[in-house]
Amino acid sequence: MTVETSPTPYTPTLNLPPDAPSDEFLNQLLRQSEQQKVNIHTEISGWLQELRQRSAYDVTKQRMPSRKDEEWRFTDISELLGLTFQLPQSGELTKNAIAPLTLPEAKQTRIVFVNGIFAPNLSDTSGLPEGVYAGNLSNLPLDNCYEAIKYIAYQDGDKELFTALNSTGFPDVAVIWANPNVIVETPIHLLFISTVEEQPSFTQPRGLVIAEQGASLQVVEHFAVASDNQCSDIPKNRPYFNNNVTEVFIKENARVNHTRNQRESGDGFHIGKTAVSQEKHSHYTCNAITLGGKLSRHNLHIWQKGESTETYLNGLTLIGREQLADTHSALYLQYPHGVTDQLHKCVVDDQAHSVFNGKVHVPQAAQLTNAGQLNRNLLLSPKARVNTKPELQITADNVKCTHGATVSQISADELFYLQSRGINAENARNLLLDAFAGEILERLPVASLQKVLAQCVACRTYE
Amino acid sequence: MIKENSEVILSVRNLHATVEGTPILKGMNFEVKAGEIHAIMGRNGSGKSTFSKVLAGHPDYEVTDGEIIYHGENILDLEPDERALKGLFLAFQYPLEIPGVSNLDFLRVAYNSKRKAQGKEELDAFDFEDLVEEKLNIVKMEASFLERSLNEGFSGGEKKRNEILQMALLEPSLAILDETDSGLDIDALKIVAQGVNQLATPENATVMITHYQRLLNYVEPDYVHVMQGGQIIKSGGKELALELESRGYEFLEEQAIASEVTA
């Protein structure tokens, strides 16, 4: 696939009815979306126009969720409502500025989006093999572009408020697309960077990953913030709102290993959606790491759309201070011989609050399913808080399903055992914490990321 | 090995300890000198295991009276790791399984903690592996054990051998083996016993806590003590263990009651 020059950006109207949205905050965001310029081939502008208007209509029929809504019972987003957002004003970053965010394993397989907009000067795809595209929608040849838009915003759950909101105003689309039977062994780094500005900014990055029949991909999706070399975790009272959506399509016999590394700044609000459709005999692995953000929510939805489909979900949330991190996953099995295994771990320090809700739907048609789910939480402080809700809905009668949730502190007996070997209490505690987080980190396919994150675990949890 | 004038390693005087307010140790007196091997026997609930945990400094046990003098120093206020660094070692009856901590990393951190405390340079990963592989022979363990998580999925015998491996690395001056023989088949018992014998020197001492005389066939004690009701009620040579084996604990309890009556 060749790279063409970008078409001129233009702004499709949302046709917002003047009095339609009753929710003031959503109204504010929609008005911002309406101003969002988009880089796109003019030939598909009709499609975009239709999508944006349809999505705006879906948004206006809803209101911002509150804790009275079952899906948001434990996650209070009222703090977001007090802020006035605008579209990012800047967006120019240098290679040096993003160097700390890059992965040595993906030096020449990296695409970078700043505030959701493709940044060719920061990207390098020279290391990609034949038959795989990584870039943005407008650089795809037109024929492929017509094909690609058939995937965007047509999955179930597309009308969900924040997903629809993203569809009203994404400024660009990141595309990773592997042709049939193309095996890409090098991880592809999909780096979404937010720039922090004087005024609270509102960005809506959008991603699309397609693995055609028999293809195999490793994607490291990374949400980061352009910061001044210091650790971005420290809040500096510069809030911004990142409302992102990434859709993943895995065809028959294809495999996608998806690492999702959420490292917003300590001031960031992050609401993210990962929506995955899997065809028969396909494999999907998600390694979702959540360290960043003042308030974050990850909605992870997977549909198994064929027999003998395998889904593996690994999650690690590591939060402190007053952070809130919410993971809502939903797995929809629909065919026989489906396999799923989920392990979601949370380490919660200070006054932080983690929320986990894991739905697994096993309807009558999904016989011979093998589903496992475990959520383990480690509380490091008396004021840390956890809400966990494994939710298995099983109507099939010939299945093997297990689930569980644990909430614990560091075990006194384990500490004593390590101390009795001469390891002091602090080191013993750290060894146990590293081990807890390590069970997820060791599943990451990229060694440098394992190392960086292990250091972050240490930095966060060692007093 | 009993030697005249050898150094007193451990001297426990009138030790009283409680767990959650319940008294378990009620006036324990016990002395160990360099080069000696002691066996403490007794029924379940006699306080044997509590005694070993109190020596190692388990936080659940509160010492209400008495003292523990180790190499001339009262160690009651020391943390478990500080006691360990001074050369006190407890082989656990039930070694804990710690998923995610590799056995090798654990052994290296423990070993280097000791090196650091002694003012020596820490060993790097390569040098340490050479050292540990040498020690593996003592307990006839495969090197593959080092790569596994600490005790995770180990059989009972493997866990106990791993305890002796730790002992071999840390070279304690006082090793307390809490029911190290329990749950071992005869082959594993022999390996563990050989390890203990190999590690015993004229400078260190070993205290074996056990129900049965079985282990004492392979590790010959210099002294045998019987605990009952949180105290040592009788001490003797290795023949005492044989007597217990053939006559049971009752005869001692009768003697104890009789002596109380006469006193």
Side-chain angles (χ1 to χ4, degrees), chain A residues 376 411-425 427 431-432 434-436 439 442, chain B residues 56-58 79-81 84-85 89-90 92 95-101 106 110 113 151 163 166:
Chain A
R376 294 191 62 200
S411 147
D413 280 329
E414 289 180 355
L415 269 183
F416 174 65
Y417 186 51
L418 297 178
Q419 279 188 272
S420 77
R421 299 302 179 249
I423 302 169
N424 69 36
N427 288 344
L431 208 57
L432 293 172
D434 288 348
F436 186 86
E439 192 181 5
E442 71 190 13
Chain B
H58 194 293
E79 290 291 314
D81 49 294
L85 293 177
F89 181 89
L90 171 63
F92 280 51
L96 278 88
E97 296 193 14
I98 305 189
V101 174
F106 161 71
S113 296
N151 292 330
E163 294 290 286
Q166 293 164 34

Side-chain angles (χ1 to χ4, degrees), chain A residues 150-306:
Chain A
K150 292 179 187 164
Y151 291 94
I152 297 171
Y154 287 98
Q155 292 188 101
D156 286 346
D158 187 46
K159 293 182 191 320
E160 179 270 319
L161 178 64
F162 293 99
T163 313
L165 183 63
N166 180 284
S167 297
T168 66
F170 55 75
D172 204 342
V173 181
V175 179
I176 296 172
W177 196 346
N179 283 347
N181 301 316
V182 172
I183 312 291
V184 190
E185 284 172 3
T186 316
I188 299 174
H189 192 189
L190 171 53
L191 181 52
F192 287 115
I193 305 176
S194 296
T195 58
V196 175
E197 307 192 347
E198 288 297 326
Q199 287 296 313
S201 60
F202 172 47
T203 61
Q204 305 208 85
R206 183 82 175 205
L208 173 65
V209 177
I210 306 168
E212 297 286 358
Q213 191 171 333
S216 175
L217 280 174
Q218 288 181 35
V219 178
V220 179
E221 188 183 29
H222 183 176
F223 295 93
V225 67
S227 79
D228 40 10
N229 277 341
Q230 286 173 1
C231 178
S232 65
D233 297 346
I234 299 149
K236 299 183 184 85
N237 200 22
R238 308 282 284 288
Y240 61 95
F241 177 25
N242 180 345
N243 178 45
N244 59 86
V245 173
T246 294
E247 297 180 277
V248 182
F249 295 85
I250 311 171
K251 303 294 182 63
E252 195 176 324
N253 269 324
R255 286 167 177 261
V256 172
N257 186 304
H258 178 194
T259 296
R260 187 182 192 277
N261 183 18
Q262 191 270 89
R263 298 298 312 268
E264 303 287 1
S265 87
D267 299 311
F269 292 86
H270 176 108
I271 295 182
K273 169 80 162 280
T274 306
V276 185
S277 286
Q278 287 187 259
E279 292 183 11
K280 67 176 175 183
H281 301 292
S282 68
H283 280 232
Y284 174 67
T285 301
C286 184
N287 311 300
I289 310 295
T290 300
L291 269 79
K294 182 188 185 69
L295 186 155
S296 69
R297 161 83 163 226
H298 182 210
N299 294 311
L300 172 58
H301 290 216
I302 295 122
W303 292 271
Q304 290 194 351
K305 296 186 166 171

